[in-house]
Amino acid sequence: MRREAFVRGVGAVSSLGLDWPSTVAALARGESAISRVEHFDVEGFPCQVAAAVRGLAEGAEDRRREFALRAAREAWAHAWLRAAPERIGVFMGAESGRASFSTVLALAQAAGGGARFDHEAFGQRARELAPRIDAAAVSPAAVASMLAGEFGARGPCETLSLACSSGAAAIAEGVRAIRRGEVDVALCGGVGADVDPLMLAGFGLLGALSARGVSCPFDAHRDGFVVGEGAAMVVLSAEKGDAVASVAGVGRSLDAWHLTAPDPEGEGAAAAMRAALREARLEGVDFVQAHGTSTQLNDEVEARALRRVLGARLAEAHVSSVKGALGHWIAGAGALGFLCAVHGLERDEVLPTAGLRNPDPRCELPHVQGQALRKRVGSALVNAFAFGGANTSLVVVRA
């Protein structure tokens, strides 16, 4: 008999609130946290808005750890669990941190600061800058390591760096560890702290950001995503306790197509969704928490894949994306979507897609617009699709 992974506690830090209840209440009202970036000069940047977290970790060396720790403490407090330290695992979706902008600028200047990288000059000048680069701040694994120490977890500790799929993939691996009997409790989630000059410049150069500064997934006028940040954490357990939801299916796939573009036919995305539904022994769900980035190609490909996978059962579902309100958390995005799905089962409520006003006919889906939709929710599908073609889908059901 397969061991199940029950959802015992959730927690979040977002730009709409420093805990999950305040965040989800604002999401249900259709609010958006996207506004002009104030904590650095964005003049000349291709996109000058973001969903930045305020009132926490301002000026911290590594904001990822501050966000994740607060969200994990919230989730752990709600779980009311005890387990032997070696039976607790940590599974975290996180990308590398970054040195401060002034340090990166100094390194660039050490190499000549122009179009040509001066290796000789860099070798002479960069050495004195090394003490300014904190290894813990740039390591992807620093977040999971910190959380393991905080909660005394001595079981497996994994960091998944799969761009926008990281957080969902971390939850998938936590579920699998419980099923295999490796752990009894899995602290899982994802974190992104990307509202900084380097990420706005990098995503802007890729042409991925909205030049209008508007995140509107599946809308006819969408022109790119808006960067957001935060942490979403969940405590999974083999023990049901008072859990309302459990993870019935996980699916992961790879497009094997392109570094930054999805397979135009959405075959990889469809494969992940089918695998998760197959594990859950379902052909349809009550709602879909879509990846929904607000980029032209990704939204169209996801919509096409959803129509193909769910077929006639799509008419029974509703589709929502949270990125119109909170922006794109990158490594934390999939974990945030998972919390929205759990909320749907706990409260029989599907959150709206903020910013969606004129649905694109190419993205024809049963969207939720305006405010949250009240309906009976027994199952939900969560999607997270990443640069590099890494796809993760999760199916959450009523426990």
Side-chain angles (χ1 to χ4, degrees), residues 27-218:
L27 289 172
R29 294 191 294 268
E31 295 180 13
S32 171
I34 295 169
S35 62
R36 184 178 175 84
V37 175
E38 300 287 352
H39 61 285
F40 61 88
D41 184 0
V42 291
E43 195 62 37
F45 278 73
C47 180
Q48 301 179 356
V49 302
V53 172
R54 294 184 173 89
L56 179 67
E58 293 174 358
E61 182 71 18
D62 185 358
R63 298 163 67 239
R64 299 173 306 160
R65 286 183 288 179
E66 302 283 341
F67 294 169
L69 179 59
R70 185 179 178 109
R73 283 174 172 165
E74 181 188 354
W76 194 262
H78 290 165
W80 286 94
L81 277 170
R82 287 186 179 181
E86 63 272 17
R87 302 295 297 167
I88 304 172
V90 176
F91 303 85
M92 195 67 203
E95 297 293 335
S96 60
R98 286 169 292 281
S100 69
F101 185 71
S102 62
T103 298
V104 173
L105 178 62
L107 287 167
Q109 291 171 335
R116 189 180 71 85
F117 192 97
D118 189 332
H119 293 271
E120 184 176 352
F122 187 77
Q124 294 173 351
R125 300 170 186 164
R127 185 175 302 174
E128 63 187 44
L129 298 172
R132 294 167 58 175
I133 303 173
D134 181 353
V138 299
S139 166
V143 181
S145 176
M146 176 270 297
L147 292 176
E150 172 72 14
F151 297 98
R154 297 180 184 172
C157 183
E158 299 181 12
T159 297
L160 290 95
S161 294
L162 295 168
C164 318
S165 190
S166 303
I171 294 171
E173 294 313 306
V175 171
R176 288 171 172 171
I178 287 177
R179 288 177 179 172
R180 290 193 297 263
E182 294 176 2
V183 298
D184 295 323
V185 176
L187 176 62
C188 315
V191 62
D194 297 319
V195 182
D196 69 23
L198 289 173
M199 297 309 289
L200 256 63
F203 284 126
L205 289 171
L206 280 174
L209 299 184
S210 168
R212 298 188 301 128
V214 178
S215 178
C216 49
F218 304 114

Side-chain angles (χ1 to χ4, degrees), residues 342-363:
V342 171
H343 170 79
L345 276 99
E346 289 179 340
R347 301 297 176 90
D348 286 328
E349 184 174 77
V350 182
L351 298 170
T353 300
L356 174 59
R357 291 180 174 80
N358 301 293
D360 185 341
R362 295 170 300 176
C363 300

Side-chain angles (χ1 to χ4, degrees), residues 344-398:
L345 276 99
E346 289 179 340
R347 301 297 176 90
D348 286 328
E349 184 174 77
V350 182
L351 298 170
T353 300
L356 174 59
R357 291 180 174 80
N358 301 293
D360 185 341
R362 295 170 300 176
C363 300
E364 184 179 1
L365 295 167
H367 297 291
V368 181
Q369 296 177 249
Q371 294 186 333
L373 171 72
R374 301 287 298 180
K375 67 175 284 188
R376 177 68 174 169
V377 177
S379 59
L381 173 68
V382 182
N383 285 337
F385 307 137
F387 277 178
N391 309 296
T392 302
S393 294
L394 304 164
V395 172
V396 190
V397 300
R398 195 171 293 277

